[in-house]
């Protein structure tokens, strides 16, 4: 029986209370004390609660006696066990000698034993890494293997009198990390989130529904700004496990060596500047899910060969590593380029092209489905109105007709940007034709970027060059509203244009 005795704080009252239990020869299992309360766990033998209560109330300063289910420490332990059983990540609390003091249910499951059996055992029975490496880890994290399964361990040292008394390990599998990363990247997307009712779009979505259920590579083609990543996310949502990770990377935004480490990860100490614990790549993190490779046509021939090998066996080695890692992921790729023509020219591996193009989807350009423009306009102006906190305006027939007649070389992305700019400058509750300023209607500027005639204001050569670049990009960007179009116009890489536009806050 467990009871809570409410009493006055006075000297000797605890001894008076316990004397009654000694007089009845009751076994005391545990006692706990906090101000005004004495909790007692005892064997009542033949005594009833009422008998104990009446005797305790005769003591000066005792106010009440009630039966309870748990002592405070027991309640906290039970709550901790429930909490640990609900946490999805394995957790180990170990002491200086490596003995497991507390383990979560998930930790017991990866070790293949019951939680009660795990506690009291040595952590070295399950991991290969030396105990000192865990206890003295100054980075706060490292990669470890539990029964040959890889995990990322977050390590928190437990100190007592400035000495390390143990540590707490919180483990995350690569797929678990991938799910968390996927959740942070974007909200989930379903077919119903794609705006449009044109025949060409509905036919595309019908094929996407079918392809989503097939665990095969898909190649998405279409012009810049048509929504290739949105369609890739839709494919993933149609698959057998929509909750699995979906991780995306643009192959055009990173140099070859960085893209390789992002895709395949790297081993500890693989190169200078790398994390000492190593790092899993997107293929590891997305295990069981989908990896979306945007702008696949920009990938180097070296990485194409490495990707081909992965797609053949679904095995790879991290950069600088020797261990073969096997994962099952679905690869969805996208490009605005003609990969078949590139393959014939030797710019893209033909065998990789056929490996990626098992299933194909081509997104129609916006000018080919102008009947979807009213729906897209309504969607984007409602979104913009929410962001800038204004009422949703109406759109006049003349303004809508003007939008539908434009060719939209930048497709949906260009339409969205124009509408957001229009909403930001709008005075009134209706978008009129004159509010829609299309690229060819931009005020004409001098063919030569203008500078301040007072050249004494230019601090140095670099400053003069920056002014020229900014003026040039400001003039040309409205006429070539994508990094690729502007890069082609100026004869430089689109990576350089993207970097410069970001540097000067243009677009």
């Amino acid at each position: 029986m467990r009871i809570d005795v409410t009493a006055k704080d006075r000297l000797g009252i605890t001894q008076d209370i316990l004397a009654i239990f000694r007089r009845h020869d009751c076994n005391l299992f545990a006692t706990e004390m906090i101000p005004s309360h004495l909790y007692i766990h005892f064997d009542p033998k033949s005594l009833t609660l009422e008998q104990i209560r009446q005797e305790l109330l005769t003591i000066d300063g005792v106010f009440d006696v009630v039966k309870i289910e748990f002592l405070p420490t027991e309640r906290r332990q039970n709550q901790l066990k429930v909490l640990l059983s609900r946490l999805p990540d394995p957790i180990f609390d170990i002491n200086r000698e490596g003995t497991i003091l507390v383990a979560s249910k998930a930790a017991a499951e990866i070790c293949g034993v019951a939680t009660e059996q795990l506690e009291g055992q040595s952590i070295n029975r399950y991991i290969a890494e030396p105990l000192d490496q865990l206890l003295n880890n100054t980075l706060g994290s490292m990669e470890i293997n539990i029964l040959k399964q890889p995990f990322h361990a977050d390590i928190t040292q437990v100190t007592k009198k400035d000495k390390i008394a143990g540590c707490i390990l919180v483990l995350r599998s690569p797929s678990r990390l991938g799910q968390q990363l996927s959740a942070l990247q974007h909200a989930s997307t379903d077919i119903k989130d794609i705006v449009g009712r044109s025949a060409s779009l509905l036919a595309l979505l019908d094929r996407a529904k079918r392809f989503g259920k097939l665990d095969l590579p898909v190649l998405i083609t279409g012009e810049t700004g048509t929504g290739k990543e949105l369609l890739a996310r839709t494919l993933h949502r149609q698959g057998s496990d929509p909750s699995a990770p979906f991780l995306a990377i643009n192959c055009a935004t990173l140099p070859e060596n960085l893209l390789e480490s992002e895709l395949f990860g790297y081993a500890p100490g693989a190169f200078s500047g790398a994390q000492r614990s190593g790092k899993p790549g997107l293929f590891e993190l997305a295990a069981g899910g989908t990896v979306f490779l945007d702008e696949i046509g920009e990938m180097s021939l070296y990485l194409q060969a490495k990707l081909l090998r992965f797609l053949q066996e679904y095995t790879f080695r991290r950069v600088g590593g020797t261990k073969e890692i096997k994962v099952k992921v679905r690869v969805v790729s996208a490009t605005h380029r003609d990969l078949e023509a590139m393959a014939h020219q030797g710019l893209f591996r033909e065998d990789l092209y056929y490996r990626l193009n098992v299933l194909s989807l081509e997104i129609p350009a916006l000018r080919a489905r102008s009947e979807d423009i009213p729906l897209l306009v309504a969607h984007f102006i409602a979104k913009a109105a929410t962001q800038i906190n204004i009422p949703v305006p109406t759109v006049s027939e003349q303004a809508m007709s003007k939008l539908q007649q434009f060719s939209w070389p930048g497709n949906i992305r260009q339409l969205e940007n124009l509408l957001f700019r229009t909403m930001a400058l709008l005075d009134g509750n209706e978008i009129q034709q004159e509010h829609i300023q299309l690229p060819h209607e931009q005020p004409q500027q001098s063919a030569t970027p203008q500078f301040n005639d007072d050249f004494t204001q230019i601090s140095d050569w670099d400053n003069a060059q920056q002014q020229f670049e900014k003026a040039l990009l400001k003039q040309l960007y409205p006429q070539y509203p994508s990094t690729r179009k502007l890069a082609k116009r100026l004869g430089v890489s689109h990576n350089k244009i993207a970097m410069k536009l970001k540097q000067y806050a243009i677009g």
Side-chain angles (χ1 to χ4, degrees):
M1 183 184 295
R2 296 170 179 81
I3 60 173
D4 173 11
V5 181
T6 307
K8 180 171 64 175
D9 293 331
R10 68 168 175 82
L11 188 64
I13 192 169
T14 301
Q15 293 180 350
D16 295 341
I17 292 172
L18 296 180
I20 291 179
F21 292 93
R22 286 196 299 270
R23 187 164 62 246
H24 289 286
D25 198 24
C26 294
N27 290 330
L28 296 180
F29 301 122
T31 61
E32 294 181 31
M33 205 173 167
I34 63 173
S36 302
H37 290 274
L38 177 62
Y39 300 94
I40 305 171
H41 180 195
F42 65 99
D43 180 3
K45 295 189 175 179
S46 59
L47 294 174
T48 65
L49 173 64
E50 188 58 31
Q51 288 174 321
I52 292 293
R53 185 173 184 276
Q54 290 302 325
E55 289 199 44
L56 291 174
L57 287 175
T58 62
I59 298 173
D60 179 33
V62 173
F63 304 129
D64 197 8
V65 178
V66 295
K67 186 177 180 181
I68 57 177
E69 190 173 1
F70 299 107
L71 300 189
T73 299
E74 293 176 322
R75 183 182 299 109
R76 285 193 294 270
Q77 288 177 340
N78 288 337
Q79 290 172 338
L80 178 61
K81 287 181 179 179
V82 171
L83 176 63
L84 288 174
S85 69
R86 299 298 298 273
L87 293 175
D89 297 319
I91 298 175
F92 294 90
D93 181 6
I94 62 175
N95 64 14
R96 180 69 194 176
E97 289 71 39
T99 303
I100 301 171
L101 305 177
V102 179
S104 67
K105 182 180 178 182
E109 288 175 352
I110 65 171
C111 292
V113 297
T115 306
E116 296 75 16
Q117 294 176 300
L118 191 60
E119 293 172 355
Q121 294 188 20
S122 172
I123 191 70
N124 289 123
R125 292 188 59 177
Y126 301 98
I127 69 170
E129 288 72 18
L131 179 61
D132 285 346
Q133 197 173 344
L134 298 176
L135 296 173
N136 301 312
N137 187 289
T138 57
L139 298 176
S141 65
M142 63 180 290
E143 284 203 351
I144 66 174
N145 287 278
I146 300 279
L147 299 179
K148 298 184 178 181
Q149 295 182 61
F151 289 91
H152 177 86
D154 290 327
I155 303 174
T156 303
Q157 292 179 338
V158 178
T159 58
K160 187 175 183 181
K161 296 182 179 179
D162 297 328
K163 292 184 178 180
I164 298 174
C167 67
I168 296 173
L169 309 176
V170 181
L171 309 184
R172 293 181 177 86
S173 65
S175 60
R176 173 74 175 155
L177 285 171
Q179 286 179 323
Q180 294 173 339
L181 182 60
S182 177
L184 288 173
Q185 278 190 349
H186 287 281
S188 60
T189 302
D190 209 340
I191 279 186
K192 66 179 183 299
D193 300 318
I194 297 181
V195 178
R197 290 294 178 268
S198 62
S200 59
L201 182 66
L202 292 178
L204 174 70
L205 296 182
D206 182 62
R207 293 185 71 187
K209 281 183 181 180
R210 299 183 183 186
F211 289 176
K213 303 182 186 306
L214 304 176
D215 191 17
L216 294 169
V218 180
L219 176 63
I220 302 174
T221 57
E223 295 181 6
T224 299
T226 50
K228 293 187 284 292
E229 183 172 343
L230 185 65
L231 184 60
R233 291 183 178 278
T234 300
L235 280 169
H236 174 71
R237 290 288 298 172
Q238 296 298 309
S240 58
D241 187 5
S243 64
F246 176 95
L247 299 178
I249 191 167
N250 190 317
C251 301
T253 59
L254 296 174
E256 180 184 274
N257 58 334
L258 288 182
L259 180 59
E260 181 182 17
S261 63
E262 284 295 314
L263 290 175
F264 300 99
Y266 56 81
F271 50 86
S272 60
Q275 296 179 22
R276 283 194 286 170
S277 60
K279 177 186 175 184
L282 260 62
F283 288 127
E284 261 182 281
L285 295 173
T290 303
V291 170
F292 174 57
L293 304 177
D294 198 7
E295 299 298 351
I296 189 71
E298 310 302 324
M299 182 178 282
S300 69
L301 290 172
Y302 163 72
L303 281 183
Q304 289 178 33
K306 194 164 183 177
L307 176 61
L308 177 64
R309 179 181 178 275
F310 171 71
L311 291 173
Q312 288 170 339
E313 305 293 338
Y314 288 100
T315 61
F316 65 94
R317 293 179 185 177
R318 289 186 180 181
V319 176
T322 57
K323 177 185 174 184
E324 287 284 338
I325 299 172
K326 186 176 181 65
V327 294
K328 188 67 176 78
V329 298
R330 185 182 195 185
V331 174
V332 177
S333 52
T335 183
H336 73 287
R337 304 182 70 177
D338 186 345
L339 293 188
E340 188 172 9
M342 289 178 65
H344 293 156
Q345 297 167 14
L347 301 175
F348 198 86
R349 291 185 64 105
E350 191 171 5
D351 45 5
L352 178 60
Y353 169 67
Y354 291 120
R355 179 70 66 171
L356 294 171
N357 194 29
V358 177
L359 304 173
S360 61
L361 294 170
E362 182 175 2
I363 305 180
L366 183 56
R367 60 182 171 274
R369 54 185 186 101
S370 59
E371 62 266 41
D372 286 337
I373 289 179
L375 293 173
L376 290 165
V377 169
H379 173 73
F380 289 136
I381 64 174
K383 183 178 176 182
T386 301
Q387 289 190 11
I388 59 180
N389 196 27
I390 64 171
V392 179
T394 57
V395 182
S396 70
E397 291 185 10
Q398 295 81 2
M400 186 64 72
S401 176
K402 184 176 182 179
L403 291 171
Q404 287 183 283
Q405 291 173 13
F406 187 60
S407 61
W408 298 110
N411 292 289
I412 296 174
R413 187 183 297 123
Q414 185 183 12
L415 173 65
E416 180 181 12
N417 291 342
L418 182 139
L419 289 172
F420 268 65
R421 186 163 55 248
T422 302
M423 290 284 290
L425 299 173
L426 182 66
D427 288 325
N429 55 9
E430 184 178 51
I431 297 176
Q432 301 285 347
Q433 182 177 0
E434 57 269 20
H435 296 144
I436 306 296
Q437 194 171 41
L438 298 173
H440 63 274
E441 298 175 335
Q442 298 289 340
Q444 294 298 311
Q445 300 179 14
S446 170
T448 303
Q450 298 299 309
F451 296 95
N452 188 336
D453 290 337
D454 185 5
F455 293 108
T456 60
Q457 299 299 315
I458 296 177
S459 58
D460 51 35
W461 182 267
D462 288 340
N463 179 254
Q465 185 176 350
Q466 288 174 8
Q467 288 192 38
F468 172 78
E469 289 176 347
K470 185 175 182 180
L472 178 66
L473 293 174
K474 271 190 171 182
Q475 177 181 331
L476 293 181
Y477 185 67
Q479 302 171 41
Y480 302 91
S482 78
T483 57
R484 294 191 177 280
K485 289 183 173 66
L486 190 50
K488 185 177 180 180
R489 166 66 177 80
L490 295 174
V492 296
S493 72
H494 70 276
N495 284 341
K496 183 171 184 176
I497 293 297
M499 180 183 68
K500 293 295 182 180
L501 290 175
K502 183 177 180 181
Q503 179 182 347
Y504 301 124
I506 299 173

